[in-house]
Structure formats: structure tokens, C-alpha cells
Amino acid sequence: MGDMLFLAHCVPFATGNGDESRGFHVLKHLAARKRIHLIAFADDPGDLKRKQALTSLTASRSIIWRPKPGLGTLLRAFVTGRPAHLAALDDALMRQTVKQALGQRAIDTVYLLSSGMAQYLPQRAQHHVMIDLIEPASTRSQAVARTGAGPARLWAAREARLLRRHERMVIRRADASLVASDGDALSLRDDADGRVRVLENGIDTDHYDPKAAYRQLEPTGMLIIFAGQAGGERDIAAASRFADTVLPHIRARYPDARLAILGRTLSKAATALARRHDGVMVVGEVADRRPWLAAASVVVGPEIVAGSLRNGLLEAMAMGRPVVASRAASDQIDHAGTIRTADSVGEFADEVLWALAHPAEAAELGEAARKRVTWRYHWESCLGALDPLLRWQPRDAAASDAGNAAHG
């Protein structure tokens, strides 16, 4: 049995954002079953420091610096007719490193974290190929195309169209294709001959445990945590709508209530949001989200905007916090009634106000949420779906076995 090459668009990191955390736990699960060689991009200086933390899980590690895409990437994508997502991940050093690994290592399986990494596969790869689309990049672009305006909307529509074409192509090339939700699977299965499987994102319920040891925040009034990240455009747009429409109703009753938005990268829109509202705190990267979640009176997920929001809801549930989320967001989680749902401004305000006015009942809801997520979304429970996909024969051997069976 050969080794596995794990190609990732980001450095796997246990408590990182959605893709980083998923990559880490998938890598950890697979490392118990195969010898792994990791090659990953880093676009944040902190990522470069995490290489050594992966030593115990990998036989070799190559982390390649990739600057954040700029105007040149967009122009190159436009001229070549490629999606900007692929152009941003196109790197000569990565190509060379992958080629060397495939040529020098006894690799029989390639795991791709994100469809953008498929461009590094050889044209006639004889390896067992597993592609993890997570939330397909085309889906993210489609969401921007629906809600954006002007040139940004047109560009997002172009990106979504080209990415969906690319995703269909790589799904046909792969032996197994994975996505994080049933909705994404349904959107791709018509073109995938049933090869798309759901691998749900889990949560490290041992780490996100209200009884674990972590630094405590000093209580300073009622704290509302936004479940998404401060770096994503859609997350900030959702947080802005909540701050503009719902938060004033809450602060009219509780003037010391504040909305906190956590995230690694603070966009201009995020900092503008903090300046616009006295009751909004936009916090930069935090080494540990648990103190903030533990201090929260309630965690809100006003829209289904991206994987980061779903992960944030799972983190809050694991920490035993009461959660109020839109029906679209809560439908992404099998919560068995442990999330309070709302859609309109009035409904959201009423549900958040209920949590603030009834702390004992809200705490009971949070305890029920932790029990539910510990049973349903512990990472090992989710990752068991990977194991059958590793039982693979080379294509020529499989064809030979099928031929023998037909003539037996």
C-alpha cells in the first residue's frame, strides 16, 4: 500500500477557520491509516509557524508562501478566460513541488483540499484521487452574484459559471468527491454520476468545552457574538444588516448590549461597521475563541453566508451557549430544536431579547445544544465516511477484476 499526497489551499490548523479546521481533522484521521506527504499554501505569516505542529501527522511537509491575490490576478484570469479562484492558486513552485513528490514518493492516493488544487494533478494520473470541494467555490460566487451589484455582481456571475464548469470536470476525474452539506451535494450530483458524497464538518467537542481550561474574559455587560468571521465579504454584509436592523431594538431595551465580530482579517467594511455603531466591536484575530464564546449571552447566525458561519454555530453549541439563527442557517445543522430560529427583524430581536431576559432558560438551551452537538457532530463521527473511500484498487487492476468476473 502506497503513501498519500495531501494537497491543500491552506495550512491545516486544528482551531483555524472552517477550511483550515476541516483540513486538519481530515488529515489527522487519514494519518492513522496512511503515510502522508503534505503540500500546502500559506497566505498568512502565522500559517508558516504551524508547520512543526503537523510533524506527528505527516512524513514530509512543504508549505509554500502565496501572496494574497491582487489586480494582476484578476487581469490574468480575464485574459486567459479562467476563474480568478484558479488563477490565484496557480503557482510555479507549487507545480514543481507536486511534480517532485509524485515522482520521488511511492504515492498511490492524492487528497485535494479544494477544487482549485486539481490543477496540479498530472493529465494522466493513475492515482486514487479524492477531491474535497468543502463548500464549492462556485456556490460562494453564486451567492455574491445574487446579492451584489454593478461590476462586482457581473464578475461574480462569470466566476460562478467558470468554476462550476471546472468543478464538473474535476469531479469526473476524481474517484471520490466530497462536499460539506446535502445542499451542495444535490447541486452537483446531476453532473457527477453519483460520485459526490457528503462529509459534514464536525467540531472538536473536547477543545470547545465550557469546562476546559482557558482564559476568562472580564464581564462587561451583555455580549452578543456573531457566528461568522470578520474577513469574509458575505459574513460582514450579514453582520452589517444585523447591526443596522436588529441591534437597535436590542440596545433600546439593554443599552449595554454589544455585538462582537471575531475574525483573522479585518476588511475595510468590517472596520467601517465598528465606526458606524457604538454597540459593535470588530475584534481582530484571537488565539482562542473559547473565552469570547463563554462570555456570550447569546450567539447569532442571521444568515447562511458561508461555511465559517456554520462552524461558528457548532462552536457556540459545543460551548453550551444559546444560539439564535435564521432558518436557512439552522437548517444546515441537525440541531433537534436546540437552536432558536428567526428570519424577520422582529423575530430576531424577539429571540435575542428572550435569551437576554431569561438567562437560566437560555443556559438550559445551551446545555441541550452541547449534548446534541457532542453526539451528532464530533469529528470522528463525521469522518467515518472517509474510510470506505480508501478501499481502492488501481484502475487497471479494477478493470481486470471486472473482466475476470464477467468471464468467470
Side-chain angles (χ1 to χ4, degrees):
M1 184 173 66
D3 296 356
M4 172 181 284
L5 180 62
F6 194 103
L7 299 181
H9 68 295
C10 59
V11 177
F13 177 41
T15 57
N17 65 28
D19 291 1
E20 293 167 342
S21 176
R22 180 182 177 92
F24 176 85
H25 289 285
V26 168
L27 179 65
K28 181 180 178 181
H29 184 86
L30 293 174
R33 290 150 180 82
K34 289 185 77 71
R35 177 180 159 95
I36 295 181
H37 304 278
L38 169 69
I39 306 177
F41 277 124
D43 63 0
D44 184 283
D47 293 336
L48 300 174
K49 302 175 184 177
R50 298 181 179 124
K51 180 178 179 179
Q52 293 306 117
L54 300 168
T55 302
S56 63
L57 301 179
T58 55
S60 67
R61 297 149 301 285
S62 297
I63 307 300
I64 296 173
W65 177 255
R66 176 178 69 88
K68 295 187 184 298
L71 180 59
T73 300
L74 299 180
L75 292 174
R76 187 166 66 253
F78 181 77
V79 170
T80 59
R82 302 178 73 202
H85 177 69
L86 293 189
L89 292 172
D90 192 354
D91 183 87
L93 180 57
M94 172 64 76
R95 202 171 300 280
Q96 177 185 351
T97 306
V98 172
K99 183 178 180 180
Q100 288 178 346
L102 292 174
Q104 298 173 4
R105 310 283 188 183
I107 290 168
D108 66 6
T109 305
V110 179
Y111 192 99
L112 305 167
L113 190 67
S114 123
S115 64
M117 301 305 291
Q119 61 188 302
Y120 297 106
L121 283 176
Q123 285 299 315
R124 297 183 179 180
Q126 294 302 309
H127 311 85
H128 178 42
V129 177
M130 303 169 68
I131 179 167
D132 191 347
L133 293 92
I134 318 172
E135 180 192 23
S138 63
T139 301
R140 304 180 190 189
S141 294
Q142 284 171 348
V144 177
R146 285 194 300 268
T147 60
R153 181 176 185 175
L154 294 174
W155 182 263
R158 171 194 183 273
E159 190 80 356
R161 183 180 68 256
L162 295 176
L163 283 170
R164 182 50 59 96
R165 184 188 306 165
H166 168 74
E167 288 160 359
R168 289 169 177 167
M169 179 187 69
V170 299
I171 286 170
R172 287 194 293 269
R173 289 191 66 189
D175 298 288
S177 301
L178 304 165
V179 291
S181 73
D182 289 327
D184 287 326
L186 288 172
S187 72
L188 292 168
R189 275 178 178 152
D190 289 344
D191 303 289
D193 299 327
R195 283 178 287 184
V196 177
R197 312 287 184 89
V198 176
L199 181 68
E200 291 182 298
N201 277 339
I203 185 74
D204 186 345
T205 53
D206 296 328
H207 178 78
Y208 289 100
D209 183 343
K211 295 180 181 179
Y214 51 83
R215 180 180 59 86
Q216 301 291 320
L217 288 185
E218 292 293 330
T220 54
M222 294 178 170
L223 186 63
I224 304 166
I225 299 286
F226 175 70
Q229 297 278 347
E233 292 181 9
R234 285 184 290 160
D235 294 282
I236 289 301
S240 295
R241 284 188 284 272
F242 184 89
D244 291 340
T245 60
V246 180
L247 190 60
H249 295 280
I250 297 167
R251 283 174 58 84
R253 180 85 61 86
Y254 299 103
D256 64 342
R258 296 172 300 152
L259 174 68
I261 306 168
L262 311 181
R264 175 183 297 181
T265 305
L266 298 185
S267 65
K268 292 181 180 179
T271 54
L273 175 60
R275 290 195 299 268
R276 195 165 71 242
H277 291 280
D278 291 337
V280 175
M281 298 187 303
V282 179
V283 184
E285 180 177 8
V286 294
D288 191 347
R289 291 173 62 89
R290 293 174 299 175
W292 289 87
L293 291 170
S297 300
V298 62
V299 176
V300 296
E303 299 175 34
I304 179 65
V305 291
S308 67
L309 186 140
R310 180 182 181 278
N311 293 341
L313 295 179
L314 290 177
E315 290 171 3
M317 294 171 71
M319 288 294 292
R321 306 318 303 148
V323 171
V324 177
S326 68
R327 288 177 178 84
S330 63
D331 284 349
Q332 303 299 308
I333 297 174
D334 181 12
H335 60 86
T338 59
I339 292 178
R340 303 274 290 208
T341 58
D343 279 326
S344 69
V345 170
E347 288 174 340
F348 247 107
D350 288 344
E351 292 294 346
V352 173
L353 287 169
W354 171 85
L356 298 181
H358 302 86
E361 291 92 331
E364 291 177 3
L365 180 67
E367 290 174 6
R370 172 162 175 81
K371 290 179 182 178
R372 180 66 181 179
V373 81
T374 301
W375 173 78
R376 178 66 175 78
Y377 287 106
H378 190 280
W379 265 114
E380 285 307 308
S381 299
C382 297
L383 292 173
L386 280 175
D387 295 338
L389 304 180
L390 292 173
R391 304 185 189 112
W392 168 82
Q393 289 179 303
R395 291 169 187 165
D396 52 355
S400 175
D401 287 351
N404 292 337
H407 293 92

